Amino acid sequence: MEYMKLILRADDLGFSEAVSLGILKAVKDGLITSVGMMPNMPSASYGYQLVKDYDIALGQHTNICVGKPLSDSSLIPSLVQPNGEFCSSKEIRSRQEDTICVEECEIEIEAQLKRFQEITGRNPDYFEGHAVFSKNFFIALENVAKRHHLFFCNPNLDPKWEEEHQLYGLPFFKEDEKGLYNPSEYM
């Protein structure tokens, strides 16, 4: 009999203290064995301190759409608003074409990797992105991952990647007219 292992990942560690505490509860309760940390968020270090002693995979959940970048915003104009904060994922998704510059994105991804390493003292177990479905973002993530010999995680977006790594993700959920979805139906 062939078995399949189900991995439940909690993303957004460090998004806020409340999100990090929710993730801690799910880890303590044994529901979550993989956690993605957002290195650019002010609560990233706090979140890491909560989960660091648990036996989990800890990845970099690279964020280019919430809060402030770690790199100089003047170096990454395709990612930021005039106030220096990231453009929202909603704004990025509404663009007619992918205007994210790969080279600029790599600057921010490298800065977030450096911050991840400063917080944790090590490399991430996996490397992926938060909420932006941009081909250029994924190219930049994969480039940085290859440069640093990191495991780039790309399920649902590349069937060839899923087959190669024997890792399969759920399809992306579809929100209703209120911006909600039913998790039971989704799973």
Side-chain angles (χ1 to χ4, degrees), residues 17 24 49 52 55 72 79 81-82 86 98 110 113 120 128 139 143 149 151 155 172 177-178 185 187:
E17 288 185 11
L24 172 64
Q49 292 303 315
K52 70 178 183 171
D55 185 22
D72 180 341
L79 303 178
Q81 305 170 57
F86 284 125
D98 191 346
E110 289 279 0
L113 176 59
T120 66
E128 50 81 39
I139 290 169
N143 289 346
H149 310 287
F151 180 67
F172 291 107
E177 63 281 347
K178 296 178 184 173
E185 291 175 14
M187 291 293 284

Side-chain angles (χ1 to χ4, degrees), residues 39-64:
N40 75 305
M41 298 303 283
S43 294
S45 184
Y46 171 81
Y48 173 69
Q49 292 303 315
L50 294 175
V51 301
K52 70 178 183 171
D53 295 327
Y54 290 89
D55 185 22
I56 58 170
L58 183 66
Q60 178 170 315
H61 191 54
T62 309
N63 169 35
I64 62 164

Side-chain angles (χ1 to χ4, degrees), residues 112-176:
Q112 289 190 32
L113 176 59
K114 182 179 178 191
R115 179 73 172 128
F116 183 100
Q117 293 164 331
E118 289 168 354
I119 291 170
T120 66
R122 65 182 183 90
N123 281 331
D125 295 317
Y126 61 90
F127 201 70
E128 50 81 39
H130 170 78
V132 173
F133 305 107
S134 153
K135 182 178 178 184
N136 291 344
F137 180 38
F138 295 125
I139 290 169
L141 280 166
E142 189 167 17
N143 289 346
V144 174
K146 283 180 181 175
R147 194 161 37 248
H148 294 277
H149 310 287
L150 302 171
F151 180 67
F152 174 59
C153 189
N154 193 21
N156 287 330
L157 302 170
D158 183 352
K160 187 176 170 185
W161 181 95
E162 287 183 325
E163 192 62 36
E164 178 184 341
H165 296 284
Q166 294 293 294
L167 292 170
Y168 303 91
L170 292 172
F172 291 107
F173 60 85
K174 302 265 191 276
E175 296 176 344
D176 64 18

